[in-house]
Amino acid sequence: LMGAAVVLAANSGGAWTPIGDVTTTMLWIHGHISSLKTIQDLFLPSLVSLVVPLALISLTSGIEERKEEVPSSISSEEMAPRGQLVFGVGIALLLFVPVFKAVTGLPPYLGMLFGLGILWLLIDAIHYGDSSRQRLKVPQALSRIDTQGTLFFLGILLSVGSLEAAGILKDLANYIDAHISSVELVASVIGIVSAVIDNVTLVAATMGMYDISSFPMDAELWQLIAFCAGTGGSIFVIGSAAGVVFMGMEKADFLWYMKKVSGFAFVGYAAGIAAYLAAHNFHGSLSTITVQLPLFSSS
């Protein structure tokens, strides 16, 4: 259950920042969401989508009563000072990417490459002249990149792009608009489907279906897509990269996860959507009331 909790935390934690998940990054790069607005609007729903299932799991499984003691040899391990420096600089450079985009207006990937260059120089300086630490340098790390996974995502984006160019996605969007008028329902369904189908495919298709002129930056549709596609993958263990890794490392079974976690994950998913809609409607009502007050009225 601890591994399942990590899956829930990974998916919920990646939904409220533009660099926390592949899908939110895609929406951010294409100008559908902004950094600050996404953090403001999605932090609370993401927190709710994590706290609710964890609380239910704790109450029903008694996980707190079966805590295992961590061996002292593991708990006493500390990261070397040089490792702490590299880790801290790496995190800072990741957080710098949205700032880089906002200040320079350049694409985010240039910010990532800029950060990689700085990290490369730092690591080479730290391990300069030490041939036994070649395995810790950036070229060795880059050699372990999952090329097949990268090509897989590239193939998905090319396929979705061809469907968009052929007008199929636009026809699908018109059909959905004619039969489902609620963007909340559309986003919720996409999140549930992302528990089975790769969420990158769904988000790429959604961006091709709906035009930015109809739904401008930070519109409710894009915010909900970012949240639902990220957290919906927790419903089934195969719905996210974190879940697949969990299955491989802990030998977790699909049916076990569905029995022990899926129901709670769905409740948390629904609670997160409800939290977003409640906060969104509250802010809208508050703005309306403020405008109507004599002090803030122009009349």
Side-chain angles (χ1 to χ4, degrees), residues 8 49 52-53 188 192 231-232 234-236 261-273:
L8 293 170
S49 70
V52 170
S188 301
I192 295 174
T231 58
S234 299
I235 297 176
F236 293 128
V261 182
S262 292
F264 300 137
F266 178 77
V267 173
Y269 172 75
I273 295 175

Side-chain angles (χ1 to χ4, degrees), residues 37 93 102 190:
K37 185 67 173 175
L93 290 171
I190 288 175

Side-chain angles (χ1 to χ4, degrees), residues 182-194 221 224-225 228-229 232 235 266 269-270 273 277:
S182 172
V183 296
E184 295 88 353
L185 183 58
V186 171
S188 301
V189 171
I190 288 175
I192 295 174
V193 175
S194 71
L221 173 66
L224 280 174
I225 290 294
C228 294
I235 297 176
F266 178 77
Y269 172 75
I273 295 175
L277 295 177

Side-chain angles (χ1 to χ4, degrees), residues 59-290:
L59 291 174
T60 56
S61 64
I63 190 172
E64 296 181 352
E65 299 176 1
R66 300 196 303 270
K67 289 183 178 178
E68 297 180 359
E69 293 185 1
V70 180
S72 58
S73 59
I74 297 178
S75 60
S76 61
E77 288 184 359
E78 294 184 1
M79 187 182 297
R82 289 182 295 185
Q84 294 177 357
L85 175 62
V86 172
F87 179 77
V89 172
I91 295 297
L93 290 171
L94 283 176
L95 297 176
F96 173 72
V97 173
V99 179
F100 176 88
K101 180 180 183 296
V103 172
T104 65
L106 296 174
Y109 77 88
L110 291 178
M112 294 296 295
L113 292 177
F114 175 74
L116 176 63
I118 293 178
L119 201 62
W120 196 322
L121 291 174
L122 175 64
I123 294 175
D124 279 359
I126 290 176
H127 302 305
Y128 179 76
D130 191 348
S131 58
S132 63
R133 291 181 170 269
Q134 292 295 323
R135 59 184 178 82
L136 299 177
K137 293 187 176 182
V138 174
Q140 291 296 321
L142 293 177
S143 67
R144 296 192 292 270
I145 289 178
D146 184 9
T147 307
Q148 292 184 351
T150 304
L151 293 176
F152 170 74
F153 287 120
L154 178 61
I156 288 176
L157 296 177
L158 289 174
S159 300
V160 173
S162 64
L163 293 175
E164 181 181 0
I168 296 176
L169 294 182
K170 185 61 66 176
D171 293 340
L172 179 59
N174 293 333
Y175 177 82
I176 292 176
D177 288 338
H179 293 80
I180 305 176
S181 58
S182 172
V183 296
E184 295 88 353
L185 183 58
V186 171
S188 301
V189 171
I190 288 175
I192 295 174
V193 175
S194 71
V196 180
I197 301 176
D198 183 71
N199 56 1
V200 173
T201 307
L202 294 173
V203 172
T206 305
M207 290 191 297
M209 289 164 55
Y210 297 101
D211 194 85
I212 193 70
S213 60
S214 302
F215 296 93
M217 178 184 288
D218 293 324
E220 184 177 353
L221 173 66
W222 303 124
Q223 296 285 354
L224 280 174
I225 290 294
F227 172 77
C228 294
T231 58
S234 299
I235 297 176
F236 293 128
V237 71
I238 61 173
S240 65
V244 174
V245 171
F246 168 62
M247 289 181 67
M249 293 181 62
E250 300 296 331
K251 309 302 179 185
D253 184 70
F254 176 83
L255 294 178
W256 175 88
Y257 186 93
M258 187 170 64
K259 179 181 177 181
K260 297 286 187 179
V261 182
S262 292
F264 300 137
F266 178 77
V267 173
Y269 172 75
I273 295 175
Y276 173 84
L277 295 177
H280 187 76
N281 292 332
F282 173 76
H283 288 306
S285 301
L286 185 62
S287 300
T288 303
I289 294 173
T290 303

Side-chain angles (χ1 to χ4, degrees), residues 12-21 24-25 27-28 32-48 94-99 102 217-219 222-224 226-227 275-276 279 283:
S12 296
W16 62 276
T17 65
I19 58 174
D21 187 79
T24 54
T25 302
L27 292 167
W28 176 53
H32 294 85
I33 59 175
S34 61
S35 302
L36 185 59
K37 185 67 173 175
T38 300
I39 294 173
Q40 290 176 342
D41 289 353
L42 297 187
F43 176 76
L44 178 60
S46 298
L47 183 63
V48 170
L94 283 176
L95 297 176
F96 173 72
V97 173
V99 179
M217 178 184 288
D218 293 324
W222 303 124
Q223 296 285 354
L224 280 174
F227 172 77
Y276 173 84
H283 288 306

